[in-house]
Amino acid sequence: MKIQLLNKIAQVGLKELDSDYTVGEGVENPDGILVRSAVMHDMEFGKALKAIARAGAGVNNIPIDRCSQSGIVVFNTPGANANGVKELAVLALLLAARDVVGGVEWAKTLTEDVAKQVEKGKSQFAGTELYGKTLGVIGLGAIGGMIANTAIHLGMKVVGCDPFLSVEGAWNLNHRIERAATFDQIFEIADYITLHVPATAQTKGMINAESIAKMKDGAKLVNLARADLVVASDLVAALESGKLSAYVTDFPTEEILGAPHAVAIPHLGASTEESENNCAVMAARELDDYLKNGNITNSVNFPSVSSPRTGAARICALHANVPAIIAKISTALSEEGLNIENMTNKSKGDNAYTVLDVGAVPSQKAIDHIAAIAGMYKVRVV
């Protein structure tokens, strides 16, 4: 099988792909693609392409809908870079609390009698401490949960809101973290607000003139998630008026770079050696397990399905989440005289995945029969 690299992927991850694979940037008509930041929306995908693994959490650079309709599974690596982003979030809170950046830039301008000038001018960069302040965490997933727990240990009062918080995620949260039912509740009480949600149709522009008006005067905002969670013009206006006293982001834009009291970090959240290695290893393992065994873990467009293999062959069918498809698959196999030893079917939104372990290797005729079922995206045998 062939794996195409669209970006540089850490060697520790590539070592997860054994001699069954040909891996490289120049690979043509690949079975799988490993990618970090390369934009894929205008790419043409060959018929052999079965999966794309993104070494990172965000998948805005991948045409998810087109991949789904073509039966291409898209993986990401949630949590692999969480610690790196968490550590940067702690730094961001400190940069919001104290004008360290302004002070460093001012210190560079000093040329003589530096110690005296420092003592005379340092008051203009004075700030506040995090201890005792209220932090509002919007999104309590892998990263948001970690920063919430860390803030507790820094002596902050933490209030979090996540409508989609999993049971597992909740178990990992410090018991002193308070729950807010709505984002508005956080806006009203938080001295600091940090965003840890994906950019979706529901979250884009969530920080705007209306939501900012609900915040405490002088509140400080940290955004290491995505630039378009914020309406830039509304944010700049709030910084200029003093409604917000600081904004720290990992996503510089033209508007933000010129705004007062804004610190723009050049997208360094996951730019640590450890994060890049973790993402590369997880992405390669996801790709390998799917291509060899048909197992899906951490896909953004198809459900997670993972089971030990039984029988002589495994049929992997990616299809629309509509009625009667499983019955039609069973009929096709019955007409072939194939016994289904084990079957798993799960759905995710409009898409579904059916894995069938059968007692004998199916003929091409049987596979073609299944592939012809209305709503079927892709069928393969492993």
Side-chain angles (χ1 to χ4, degrees):
M1 291 180 285
K2 296 183 288 186
I3 306 296
Q4 183 181 23
L5 306 180
L6 296 186
N7 297 105
K8 182 180 179 181
I9 303 295
Q11 283 297 316
V12 67
L14 299 183
K15 289 179 180 178
E16 297 289 327
L17 302 171
D18 59 25
S19 59
D20 290 338
Y21 298 98
T22 298
V23 183
E25 295 181 4
V27 169
E28 296 182 357
N29 198 26
D31 297 277
I33 291 176
L34 277 169
V35 62
R36 289 174 61 198
S37 58
V39 178
M40 303 179 66
H41 291 278
D42 295 329
M43 281 187 64
E44 293 186 9
F45 300 138
K47 292 183 178 180
L49 185 61
K50 303 169 184 66
I52 298 169
R54 157 81 163 100
V59 291
N60 294 352
N61 56 322
I62 302 171
I64 303 299
D65 291 341
R66 180 156 64 95
C67 288
S68 299
Q69 293 298 316
S70 301
I72 299 170
V73 180
V74 179
F75 297 96
N76 68 345
T77 57
N81 60 11
N83 189 70
V85 179
K86 178 209 74 176
E87 291 185 1
L88 189 70
V90 173
L91 173 61
L93 289 173
L94 293 168
L95 293 177
R98 308 175 75 169
D99 189 12
V100 175
V101 173
V104 168
E105 292 302 314
W106 173 76
K108 290 179 181 179
T109 68
L110 305 180
T111 57
E112 57 184 29
D113 201 6
V114 173
K116 183 176 181 179
Q117 290 190 66
V118 164
E119 291 305 314
K120 183 178 180 181
K122 67 181 182 180
S123 60
Q124 62 186 306
F125 306 107
T128 59
E129 298 180 10
L130 298 179
Y131 188 88
K133 305 301 189 300
T134 298
L135 173 66
V137 183
I138 294 180
L140 292 165
I143 298 169
M146 291 177 76
I147 189 61
N149 288 338
T150 300
I152 288 288
H153 295 295
L154 292 173
M156 302 186 80
K157 176 182 178 181
V158 181
V159 181
C161 182
D162 190 335
F164 306 103
L165 180 63
S166 66
V167 173
E168 181 179 358
W171 274 109
N172 291 327
L173 294 176
N174 189 294
H175 70 279
R176 288 185 287 170
I177 297 170
E178 298 180 16
R179 175 183 176 273
T182 65
F183 297 159
D184 285 355
Q185 290 181 10
I186 286 180
F187 295 152
E188 291 169 3
I189 65 172
D191 302 301
Y192 295 78
I193 298 170
T194 182
L195 308 177
H196 300 285
V197 297
T200 67
Q202 290 71 39
T203 61
K204 287 182 178 179
M206 63 179 290
I207 303 300
N208 51 45
E210 181 180 356
S211 58
I212 292 172
K214 298 174 183 176
M215 298 179 188
K216 293 176 65 174
D217 291 344
K220 305 173 191 293
L221 179 66
V222 172
N223 175 17
L224 305 186
R226 283 291 179 266
D228 49 7
L229 298 178
V230 172
V231 177
S233 58
D234 293 349
L235 181 77
V236 171
L239 290 169
E240 290 176 341
S241 70
K243 176 65 179 179
L244 291 180
S245 62
Y247 177 59
V248 183
T249 183
D250 205 20
F251 297 90
T253 62
E254 290 81 0
E255 302 96 329
I256 297 304
L257 288 175
H261 312 297
V263 176
I265 302 167
H267 201 185
L268 299 181
S271 294
T272 67
E273 180 180 345
E274 294 85 352
S275 289
E276 291 183 7
N277 287 347
N278 291 341
C279 288
V281 169
M282 184 182 291
R285 288 178 178 174
E286 291 166 349
L287 201 58
D288 177 60
D289 197 21
Y290 177 66
L291 292 177
K292 288 185 177 177
N293 302 308
N295 292 325
I296 293 180
T297 306
N298 295 326
S299 170
V300 300
N301 59 339
F302 285 96
S304 293
V305 174
S306 184
S307 62
R309 293 182 62 172
T310 61
R314 170 168 284 188
I315 299 173
C316 305
L318 298 155
H319 53 85
N321 184 21
V322 295
I325 283 189
I326 295 175
K328 292 175 182 178
I329 293 174
S330 299
T331 298
L333 295 177
S334 177
E335 292 177 355
E336 180 80 4
L338 287 170
N339 180 51
I340 300 174
E341 297 189 1
N342 189 30
M343 181 179 75
T344 304
N345 169 266
K346 290 186 179 181
S347 62
K348 186 172 187 174
D350 295 331
N351 303 320
Y353 185 42
T354 302
V355 175
L356 308 104
D357 290 323
V358 293
V361 178
S363 67
Q364 187 60 49
K365 178 181 177 182
I367 297 303
D368 290 342
H369 189 169
I370 296 173
I373 296 172
M376 189 64 61
Y377 302 149
K378 188 186 290 286
V379 183
R380 67 188 182 101
V381 179
V382 296

